[in-house]
Amino acid sequence: MNYEIKKLKKMSDERGYLVEFLKNSELEKKEYGQNYFVTFDGKGVMRGSHYHTKKSEWFTIAFGKALVKLKDIATGETKELELSDEDEYLTRLFVGPNIAHSFTALTEKAVLLNYTDKEFHAKDPDSIYFNLEEEK
């Protein structure tokens, strides 16, 4: 399955913490795509439940906790994991093309940070709906 986990060190002091989320040297392509963040306003709120055929994405939970479900569209392989801001490290999740992904908040509030290597275009959204909740 085309995904990868990396632990990101929190550099903390009395003001809070700073995390180096993603560096240019970690990207295969040098073309900038797009950053965004997504909020979850309630425990159990689910976002995503789709896959991309061309895009790769890097995610972390900057605040709160979420359950991540992944499914390889070609092989049927599945994976579940939790992303959280509660530990000494944040976890960065890379998801490649053709990996369905969903995020479900495990806390009342959560914030998901994302980088994708290609911009969103309404005429070619490259987001194919895939209901991971029905997958067992």
Side-chain angles (χ1 to χ4, degrees), residues 6-132:
K6 181 174 181 183
K7 294 292 186 182
L8 304 173
K9 178 75 174 154
K10 289 181 178 179
M11 293 169 268
S12 301
D13 63 21
E14 66 280 355
R15 301 169 294 173
Y17 63 85
L18 177 141
V19 174
E20 294 177 336
F21 174 64
L22 186 63
K23 299 176 184 179
N24 190 46
S25 61
E26 296 176 296
L27 299 173
E28 292 178 16
K29 299 177 182 178
K30 300 303 179 188
E31 181 180 330
Y32 182 78
Q34 173 176 332
N35 281 100
Y36 59 90
F37 67 89
V38 177
T39 63
F40 298 79
D41 293 333
K43 190 174 183 179
V45 170
M46 196 267 299
R47 307 291 298 254
S49 212
H50 61 256
Y51 66 95
H52 310 285
T53 61
K54 303 173 207 152
K55 295 176 185 172
S56 293
E57 296 181 286
W58 291 257
F59 301 97
T60 196
I61 289 289
F63 179 82
K65 185 188 285 189
L67 173 68
V68 182
K69 292 183 179 181
L70 304 173
K71 183 168 185 172
D72 187 308
I73 298 304
T75 68
E77 181 181 357
T78 62
K79 175 79 176 171
E80 286 190 11
L81 59 131
E82 288 184 11
L83 298 181
S84 172
D85 72 338
E86 296 175 350
D87 298 322
E88 178 182 353
Y89 293 86
L90 290 185
T91 300
R92 184 181 72 203
L93 170 64
F94 166 80
V95 176
N98 299 307
I99 304 297
H101 48 281
S102 70
F103 301 84
T104 302
L106 298 174
T107 52
E108 286 302 318
K109 293 279 187 184
V111 177
L112 177 73
L113 176 64
N114 171 271
Y115 169 76
T116 181
D117 62 352
K118 297 188 180 18
E119 285 187 52
F120 175 81
H121 296 288
K123 291 183 180 179
D124 182 17
D126 187 34
S127 290
I128 296 94
Y129 176 74
F130 191 90
N131 189 344
L132 286 153

